[in-house]
Amino acid sequence: MDMERRQSEIIDDFVKRAAALYDAAPNLAGLILEATAHPFLFAFSEILSVPSLARLKGTQYSSSLDVLRLFAYGTWSDYKRNAGCLPVLLPDQVRKLKQLSVLTLAEIEKVLSYDHLMEELDVSNVRELEDFLINECMYVGIVRGKLDQSRRCFEVQFAAGRDLRPEQLDNMIQTLNNWSGTSDNLLHMIQEKIKWADTMSEANKMHRKEIVDKVEEVKKSLKADLHLQGHGEIFSEPGGMMDYEEDRSRPKRRRQPMA
C-alpha cells in the first residue's frame, strides 16, 4: 500500500472516531494523543476541522487542541518556544514533530546543511542526525535524498507535503489562478502556431503542385518540339525524299548505243 493511500485511510478513521465522540472531551483528548503519536500519520488538518473538537476550547483539555494544531502546522522549534503552555510530549510525539520539522525545512530549501538540521532538531552530532534522517525519514518514506558527508548537507529529492495553514490558502489559490491564466495564454499561442503551421503547410503543398504542373508542361512542350524538329530534319535532308521526288518528275535520257 502506498503512503498516500495509507495516510488517507488513517485520516478517515480518526475523523470518524472524532465525530462520534461529540461530547466526550477526555476521549477526544486521548484521540488527539493517539493521532499525534501515530507512526504513519503526517497530516492533521482534516482531524482538526472536525466540529466536535471545538468543544475542547475553554476546558481543561484545551491544550490538546493546541497540540493538534502544532502538529498540523508547527515545528519542534515552535514547541520549544511555547513549551510552558503545552503539555509534555511523549517520545513518539517528539519523534513525529521532528519528522514534520524536516518536512517544513525541505519545503523551504532543497539542500539542508547538517548544522542547521542539528540546531532545529536538537541533535548533538552528525551520526545521530544521519541515523534520524535515514531511519525516521527516508525509511518511512516521507523524504528521499542524498546524504553528503563531505559537504555536510542533505540534498532533498522528494518531501511529502504538510498541511497548509489557513492563511496560506489564499496564496495557493492565487498561485493556481496565475498558473491557470498562464496555461490558457500558452494554449492559445500553441493553437495559433498550429493554425499558422497548417496554413503554411497548405501553401507549400499548393506551391509544390504548381511547380510539378509547370515541370510537366515544360516536359510536354519539349517533347513536342523534339518531335517536330525530328520530322523537319527528315524532310530537309539532302538526297532525301524531296530530291527523290524531283528526280522522278524529270524526263529520262535515252542511252546512245555504243559504236
Side-chain angles (χ1 to χ4, degrees):
M1 183 186 300
D2 58 38
M3 181 179 173
E4 291 183 0
R5 183 179 175 185
R6 176 186 290 180
Q7 283 272 304
S8 179
E9 292 181 356
I10 295 172
I11 291 170
D12 287 344
D13 178 63
F14 276 107
V15 167
K16 292 176 182 177
R17 290 166 58 189
L21 298 171
Y22 191 76
D23 292 320
N27 292 334
L28 285 171
L31 186 70
I32 290 174
L33 176 61
E34 182 184 349
T36 53
H38 195 287
F40 300 111
L41 181 60
F42 298 93
F44 304 91
S45 61
E46 290 187 49
I47 302 172
L48 187 61
S49 65
V50 176
S52 60
L53 291 176
R55 291 186 171 269
L56 294 176
K57 294 180 180 179
T59 71
Q60 60 179 322
Y61 302 102
S62 61
S63 61
S64 294
L65 193 59
D66 295 331
V67 169
L68 183 59
R69 190 175 293 108
L70 173 70
F71 274 71
Y73 311 121
T75 63
W76 175 248
S77 294
D78 294 330
Y79 173 75
K80 289 190 297 179
R81 285 193 295 269
N82 299 280
C85 305
L86 296 170
V88 177
L89 299 182
L90 299 177
D92 287 343
Q93 289 177 301
V94 172
R95 180 177 63 252
K96 171 64 63 63
L97 192 53
K98 289 185 176 182
Q99 290 171 315
L100 293 169
S101 299
V102 172
L103 294 182
T104 296
L105 294 172
E107 289 178 353
I108 301 171
E109 298 180 20
K110 296 307 177 185
V111 178
L112 305 174
S113 70
Y114 280 1
D115 292 336
H116 189 197
L117 285 168
M118 287 190 290
E119 179 182 356
E120 291 292 326
L121 302 177
D122 272 344
V123 175
S124 58
N125 58 71
V126 171
R127 177 62 182 274
E128 184 181 356
L129 172 65
E130 291 184 337
D131 286 345
F132 179 81
L133 292 173
I134 293 171
N135 299 324
E136 308 299 343
C137 296
M138 287 191 282
Y139 182 76
V140 174
I142 59 175
V143 296
R144 290 195 299 270
K146 176 183 177 183
L147 299 173
D148 192 332
Q149 294 181 338
S150 62
R151 296 170 56 203
R152 290 175 57 85
C153 68
F154 176 52
E155 298 179 4
V156 180
Q157 298 171 346
F158 162 81
R162 291 199 63 182
D163 294 303
L164 289 175
R165 295 177 181 269
E167 61 269 19
Q168 291 178 298
L169 291 177
D170 290 338
N171 292 334
M172 180 66 71
I173 292 172
Q174 183 61 45
T175 299
L176 291 174
N177 286 335
N178 293 339
W179 176 83
S180 178
T182 301
S183 298
D184 289 341
N185 292 335
L186 181 59
L187 179 60
H188 179 72
M189 291 175 59
I190 292 174
Q191 290 174 339
E192 291 298 320
K193 290 291 186 181
I194 292 174
K195 289 180 181 178
W196 177 84
D198 289 342
T199 302
M200 293 301 296
S201 176
E202 190 64 27
N204 287 335
K205 288 180 180 178
M206 293 179 64
H207 182 62
R208 285 197 298 269
K209 186 177 183 305
E210 290 176 358
I211 292 175
V212 170
D213 291 343
K214 288 181 179 179
V215 170
E216 290 299 323
E217 290 179 4
V218 171
K219 287 181 178 179
K220 291 178 180 179
S221 176
L222 289 174
K223 287 181 180 179
D225 291 344
L226 290 174
H227 182 73
L228 292 175
Q229 183 178 355
H231 281 286
E233 289 176 353
I234 293 174
F235 288 113
S236 62
E237 183 179 353
M241 292 184 66
M242 292 294 294
D243 293 340
Y244 175 73
E245 291 295 337
E246 291 177 359
D247 288 344
R248 292 183 59 186
S249 62
R250 293 175 183 173
K252 293 182 179 181
R253 294 180 181 178
R254 295 175 64 96
R255 295 182 65 182
Q256 298 292 330
M258 293 181 66

